[in-house]
Amino acid sequence: MALGAGVLVSSVAFELMDQAFGKGGFDAASIGLLLGALAFFLGDLAINRAGGKHRKRSTGQQENGQASAIVLGSLMDGIPESVAIGVGLLAGGKLSWVFLAAVFLSNIPESLSASVGLKRAGHRTSRILLMWTAIALLSALASGLGYLALRGADVNLTAGIQAFAAGAILTMLSSTMLPEAFEEGGAIIGLATTCGFLAAFTLSHL
């Protein structure tokens, strides 16, 4: 999870924000980043209070949470990445394979950890699989709708939305993924995150 987080941080910096700045300048990039961070912070706060605080834990703390809040929280974590993919398609009609790899590397351990926790909390396997299927479909739908809705949109708007996604992703990593990874893995998490960052930085400049 920490390795994936490092890759994602690097991709946000050198893919999303760099593109947003190149298209919309400092104002669109900075405003979008701060709004994305604030939006995720407020959404995460509401989800936590509703019972979705431990949605990514692997030790079964989800037992005391609300199933609907856990699902909404997991969906909220994936939406910024989906938006970034959809907006990325607008930039020349192609996606950065480095960013896609970053999303994959961060989401796989994240979902595995949450699935183990839900199983230990007593949720049925069929229900867990249904939840992840629904989240995957809704995230793909959000990405597709974003692409269709923003075709022909002003370049400053698309740059702002790209930066908005970057801000939400960074806030998600800082408030959920990295703290939970450190709690499970200890100090080695810092090294793993740095290695992930370096790997994505290297690949993005080849």
Side-chain angles (χ1 to χ4, degrees):
M1 189 181 290
L3 183 71
V7 173
L8 201 52
V9 168
S10 184
S11 295
V12 164
F14 298 106
E15 301 286 338
L16 296 184
M17 285 301 293
D18 193 52
Q19 291 177 14
F21 176 78
K23 290 186 292 186
F26 181 77
D27 53 348
S30 58
I31 292 172
L33 183 77
L34 292 175
L35 288 177
L38 180 61
F40 187 90
F41 170 77
L42 294 175
D44 188 52
L45 189 65
I47 291 294
N48 290 346
R49 290 179 175 176
K53 182 178 181 179
H54 300 297
R55 56 187 178 274
K56 295 179 183 175
R57 303 285 183 172
S58 62
T59 50
Q61 293 98 321
Q62 294 94 331
E63 185 176 6
N64 298 321
Q66 295 292 329
S68 58
I70 292 171
V71 172
L72 287 174
S74 299
L75 179 62
M76 183 182 68
D77 295 340
I79 287 296
E81 297 161 348
S82 300
V83 170
I85 291 172
V87 175
L89 284 170
L90 296 172
K94 61 180 181 179
L95 290 173
S96 166
W97 67 272
V98 176
F99 181 72
L100 288 177
V103 172
F104 178 81
L105 286 173
S106 62
N107 281 345
I108 291 298
E110 178 185 345
S111 57
L112 287 174
S113 177
S115 297
V116 170
L118 288 166
K119 185 70 174 176
R120 289 178 176 173
H123 293 273
R124 297 191 305 273
T125 300
S126 58
R127 187 175 186 180
I128 296 172
L129 291 174
L130 181 62
M131 180 192 80
W132 288 120
T133 300
I135 289 171
L137 291 174
L138 288 172
S139 296
L141 180 63
S143 183
L145 289 176
Y147 172 73
L148 293 174
L150 291 171
R151 281 193 301 181
D154 182 76
V155 67
N156 288 308
L157 176 61
T158 57
I161 292 175
Q162 201 164 20
F164 182 95
I169 292 171
L170 284 176
T171 307
M172 181 269 291
L173 292 173
S174 302
S175 61
T176 59
M177 279 187 69
L178 286 175
E180 291 164 14
F182 182 82
E183 183 177 321
E184 296 291 331
I188 193 66
I189 294 307
L191 180 60
T193 304
T194 303
C195 289
F197 182 93
L198 178 60
F201 174 80
T202 302
L203 290 173
S204 66
H205 286 78
L206 289 179

